[in-house]
Amino acid sequence: MGCGTSVKTENQTKKSEKAIKAAVLIQRWYRFYTARLEMRRRYTLSIFQSIEYAEEQAQLQLSNFFTFMMDHFAQMNGHGPDLISDIINCSREGQRKTMDYEMIEVPDTYDGPQISFPLTVSDTNILLHAFKQEKQLHARYVLQIFHETQNFLKQMPNVVHLSTSYSKEITICGDLHGKLDDLLLIFYKNGLPSPENPYLFNGDFVDRGKNSVEILIILFTFLLIYPNHFHLNRGNHEDPIMNMRYGFTKEIMQKYKIHGQKMVRLLEDIYSQLPLATIIDNQVLILHGGIADTTDLNLLTSFERSKVRGTSDNTTNFLFLHIKVVDILWSDPRKQNGCLPNSFRGGGCYFGPDVSAKLLEKYNLKMLVRSHECKQEGYEICHNGKVVTIFSASNYYEEGSNRGAYMKMGLGQTPRFVQYQASKGTRKLTLHQRVSAIEDSAFRALQEKIYAHRSDLMKAFKEHDHKETGKISISDWTSSMEAVLHLDLPWRTLRSRLARLSSDGTVEYNSCFEDLQIQQPNKEVQPSLVETLQRYRTDLELIFNIIDKDHSGLISTEEFRQTWKLFSSHLHIDIDDETIDDLAHSIDANKDGSIDFHEFLEAFRVVKRLDGK
Amino acid sequence: MAGEKETAEAIVSDLQKKITEAFDVFDHENNQTVDVREIGTIIRSLGCCPTEGELHDMLAEVEEEEPTGYIRFEKFLPMMTKVLLERRYRPIPEDVLLRAFEVLDESKKGYLTKDELVKYMSEEGEPFTQEETEEMISAAVDPDRNVVLYKDYISAMIIED
């Protein structure tokens, strides 16, 4: 029988060798496939990130422009244009009547959460439960919570000192950006706040997400109940002007039509009263953005932070302090040594490992924890382990784009990180579906940018195309993209998604714009103006929001004219008055003297051409 | 001749720019190094399809004498340029991949059961991690029949690519 068996065994060995070979081949192919998807995912994130940075810089530039205008016109003792003094008055008003909420009746028909003051733990449970079911808290309660928060924060120092000797540990969370699911997930995984389970939220609670109001209500409620074990640092989005651009003001006005405006005003004051930094166990400094080489913690401790609002006072001292606060709220670490100011005026800086090391040494600290930047894994450690970024909004750019994380630390412990990803769908998407989804939206955003700079790009392309063939080399194409768009992106790799190659391996540069168009029903507007409008759409929207004090979405044609003039002087765009008048006239379709500017701006959004190739 | 040489140089310079872009994506510290665990993604994203064993050999070539856990760009670039110029580790053609699945489908059913696929991928050859296995299953298994219709799966994956 020996013989037969041995043949069989040999066959089996051959067979299993073949199977192993087949398995290796499939594994090899699959790893190749996933690696390439992973690379696409990384590129996608870099697109989102670079566009976000470019936008934030534009935002800072615009805020500075407003500060300048207000300072400038305030000196004219109200003799400036009405528009400007109106804006100033708007932000100064409203501090007076804060006790209003007592007059607001809660109707019998109200079916949202019922809470009572002074707030207790059971109220937090009621709120969390109600918000999970997407119920809304009545304006009366919201205003009272905001009002009590405002009173409480007044007595807090700029820099809070904490000790973990009682609780042993503290949990630090980064940006939430209105993403309630993430906050609820953190509480679910890590337990509700209590004296034994203290928390610190490191700014950027609001904007972008849909539930900024609910997040503030929850955070403020815990703050009022556990003032010694629950802490908040201010972020760069705790700023009224940022809220007008990034959606929080809109959210409030939609949810609280009648009392929303009061909330917006109260919040402006609350923001300015939020502590700027926290130091734990005299060892770890926690603040939202970062530091500059000029950051002085003693100075930071001593000045009156409420003076630094989103908008301004016009003293030199104010400007000086304003820059200090902007540094804390806006700065990002960088890999190289040194401290490079943001290329626009007064917009925070990029600080190197040497800057971190020097500051930590000066104040005898061990580590800097900051937030402010989305990280793919929810956290990142840099500067030789001395600087930690913690970011708690998962799926920040798009479903599946990044994880969120929180950090736990105590005296003499190595910090621990807990990662998570809030997910809505029950169906698990494949890797390819996840990557494709975020990729599509990233390329859409990028193409909008490209389209908005069409004439500058064409000019740059044509400089390399003396014979007017419509084709340039790949290198010339990438250098043109870099020079015009100032986005730090791997253009060579992204090219295949953005522009077509001709048979001789050169780029047909017109193809970058091919399947895009501006959705613009208005034929009267000059093409160059269309491009300008598109490029600065978000800036314009913000200016309109400021002018539109009651947030109705309507402004007068006169206000529109003034805005546009102001704006074109800010951007140094030369457009004559007549063109502006024509524009104003053409968009006031029913000639009633008011303009729906949301609709107006929507018309200048870049869309994929439906009949595109 | 001169023309040919120029073209060759242009090809090399083009390849090296591609390699640099891919490397930069993972160079988080901006100091011309990447984590050794991410080198596989970089190499594969550049169109090479090595086995884990072959990847290991490539790594050995560029690693420091005292492994630091990081790979330096100046060592990676010449190795990668050479590999790409020689067109080594080419991607697997569709028909070859299909034949591999057919080998595993011993009784020629036209499909693999979920358990069969999991067993082969996580126990044989260069075994998958649990994460890799789960990821593959999520896309490969037909949810209605709970089997892998590998012919359909392959054509779907090739189109996606």
Side-chain angles (χ1 to χ4, degrees), chain A residues 170-174 200-203 233 276-280 283-291 328 333 351 356 359-360 365-372 378-381 385-391 406-409 415 417:
Chain A
I170 184 164
T171 303
I172 303 163
C173 302
L200 166 64
F201 284 86
N202 197 24
N233 280 343
L276 297 169
T278 303
I279 294 175
I280 296 179
Q283 289 190 342
V284 181
L285 172 66
I286 299 148
L287 40 76
H288 181 73
I291 52 174
I328 299 292
F351 59 101
S356 308
L359 182 113
L360 293 175
L365 298 164
K366 292 203 171 125
M367 190 189 274
L368 170 67
V369 177
R370 42 88 61 179
S371 300
H372 192 47
Y379 73 95
E380 198 172 281
I381 302 168
K386 288 199 160 29
V387 174
V388 171
T389 299
I390 188 86
F391 194 87
Y406 55 86
M407 174 179 175
K408 295 184 74 87
M409 58 183 300
F417 298 93

Side-chain angles (χ1 to χ4, degrees), chain A residues 6-32:
Chain A
S6 104
V7 169
K8 206 178 168 193
T9 317
E10 208 172 282
N11 267 343
Q12 267 178 342
T13 320
K14 263 194 188 158
K15 222 174 174 182
S16 84
E17 259 175 30
K18 247 183 125 184
I20 290 170
K21 265 193 187 163
V24 170
L25 189 128
I26 294 169
Q27 285 155 344
R28 172 158 79 101
W29 161 78
Y30 188 72
R31 287 184 171 122
F32 176 67

Side-chain angles (χ1 to χ4, degrees), chain A residues 6 13 25 45 47 59-60 156 201 205 248 264 268 271 292 311 353 375 381 392 452 480 493 506 511 515 556 577:
Chain A
S6 104
T13 320
L25 189 128
L45 287 180
I47 294 175
Q59 169 69 23
L60 270 173
M156 293 295 283
F201 284 86
F205 321 123
F248 183 33
V264 171
E268 186 179 347
Y271 291 160
T311 48
K375 297 291 174 191
I381 302 168
S392 301
S480 304
T493 310
T506 53
S511 63
D515 57 345
S556 72
D577 290 359

